[in-house]
């Protein structure tokens, strides 16, 4: 995972970097860490290359809150965690969809709890690429771009941002390929990307504007998976 630390105090920057690598060693997770001393420095970078950004709120030049607004405009999914010595400032983080905040002075236990939560949230935005063996070509597509997969007469219909792609295959094959990217069945015929769910009604789910039936058999598992995806951080 790629983590950015935006903090004007060198001592806190070094401490957080040490804590991140310590957490990585304890849990067998590699982290690539970049540090910045001002909000403008992180804004100038491509925010999407980072999984987690730790932001000090009070900094000279562009402060953390200003930077967060710009980062959020550039990337709706990047995980933001504020670092501050004043809790009342951290509450404003909800304006920019910040996941959490860490209060100074920082101790390892508190940091590791918050950081673990950020990791779980970051994993939800993980995407990959799959190859679709179409009748006349092989198409490579990001899993983020797939809305849902539909099976009809032994043919798989991939409904995506680029349109619909049809290929021969089984739902079991699609499910095995996409399960790690938070695709879940809402019924026998549809495999849904939870990332694109906007509404759940009594017996249906809205995915990218399309209304799909939730079967009685799949309802509990589907709603549990959706709840964990949206709000479960552990």
């Amino acid at each position: 995972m790629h983590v950015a630390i935006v903090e004007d105090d060198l001592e806190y920057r070094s401490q957080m970097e040490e804590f991140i690598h310590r957490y990585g060693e304890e849990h067998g997770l590699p982290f690539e860490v970049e540090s910045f001393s001002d909000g403008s420095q992180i804004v100038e970078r491509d925010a999407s290359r980072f999984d987690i950004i730790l932001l000090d709120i009070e900094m000279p030049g562009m402060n953390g809150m200003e930077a967060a607004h710009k980062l959020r405009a550039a990337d709706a999914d990047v995980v933001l965690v504020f670092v501050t010595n004043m809790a009342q400032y951290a509450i404003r983080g909800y304006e920019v969809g910040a996941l959490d905040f860490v209060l100074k002075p920082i101790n390892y236990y508190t940091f590791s709890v918050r950081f673990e939560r950020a990791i779980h949230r970051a994993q939800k935005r993980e995407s990959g690429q799959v190859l679709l063996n179409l009748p006349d070509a092989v198409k490579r597509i990001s899993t983020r771009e797939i809305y849902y997969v539909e099976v009809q007469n032994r043919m798989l219909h991939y409904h995506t941002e680029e349109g619909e792609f049809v290929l021969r295959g089984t739902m079991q094959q699609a499910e095995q390929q996409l399960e790690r990217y938070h695709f879940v069945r809402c019924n026998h015929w549809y495999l849904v990307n939870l990332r694109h769910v906007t509404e759940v009604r009594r017996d249906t789910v809205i995915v990218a504007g399309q209304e799909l039936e939730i079967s009685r058999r799949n309802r509990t598992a589907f709603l549990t998976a959706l709840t964990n995806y949206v709000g479960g951080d552990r």
Side-chain angles (χ1 to χ4, degrees), residues 42-197:
I42 185 72
V43 167
E44 291 169 0
R45 300 296 297 271
D46 178 13
S48 64
R49 71 186 302 271
F50 297 107
D51 299 292
I52 301 169
I53 299 178
L54 303 171
L55 268 173
D56 182 25
I57 292 183
E58 296 180 283
M59 291 184 290
M62 183 182 292
N63 65 40
M65 195 60 66
E66 292 175 295
H69 279 283
K70 293 182 182 296
L71 290 168
R72 184 56 77 218
D75 188 329
D77 293 325
V78 64
V79 178
L80 301 177
V81 177
F82 282 117
V83 182
T84 181
N85 55 10
M86 302 186 74
Q88 63 266 34
Y89 287 143
I91 301 303
R92 291 185 55 204
Y94 295 113
E95 298 174 9
V96 290
L99 172 67
D100 213 333
F101 63 90
V102 177
L103 282 176
K104 298 177 181 178
I106 306 170
N107 66 71
Y108 178 69
Y109 174 75
T110 301
F111 180 87
S112 64
V113 170
R114 299 289 196 274
F115 191 61
E116 182 174 20
R117 192 164 180 248
I119 290 169
H120 283 292
R121 176 64 61 85
Q123 287 172 337
K124 292 177 180 178
R125 69 193 293 269
E126 181 184 11
S127 66
Q129 293 188 332
V130 295
L131 295 177
L132 304 183
N133 292 305
L134 305 174
D136 57 350
V138 176
K139 171 75 174 176
R140 184 170 66 179
I141 189 167
S142 169
T143 55
R144 288 190 184 193
E145 298 177 14
I146 302 171
Y147 298 139
Y148 61 93
V149 182
E150 178 184 5
V151 64
Q152 290 183 23
N153 300 321
R154 299 181 183 178
M155 301 296 288
L156 294 174
H157 298 248
Y158 283 74
H159 299 265
T160 78
E161 293 179 7
E162 295 184 43
E164 185 179 339
F165 300 101
V166 183
L167 60 146
R168 187 171 297 279
T170 67
M171 184 59 85
Q172 288 79 6
Q173 291 170 333
E175 194 169 25
Q176 290 174 2
Q177 184 181 46
L178 296 170
E179 185 177 19
R180 63 172 295 196
Y181 302 112
H182 308 289
F183 283 73
V184 180
R185 287 199 202 200
C186 64
N187 62 38
H188 179 76
W189 298 278
Y190 296 108
L191 183 66
V192 171
N193 187 347
L194 298 180
R195 179 185 181 87
H196 294 291
V197 172

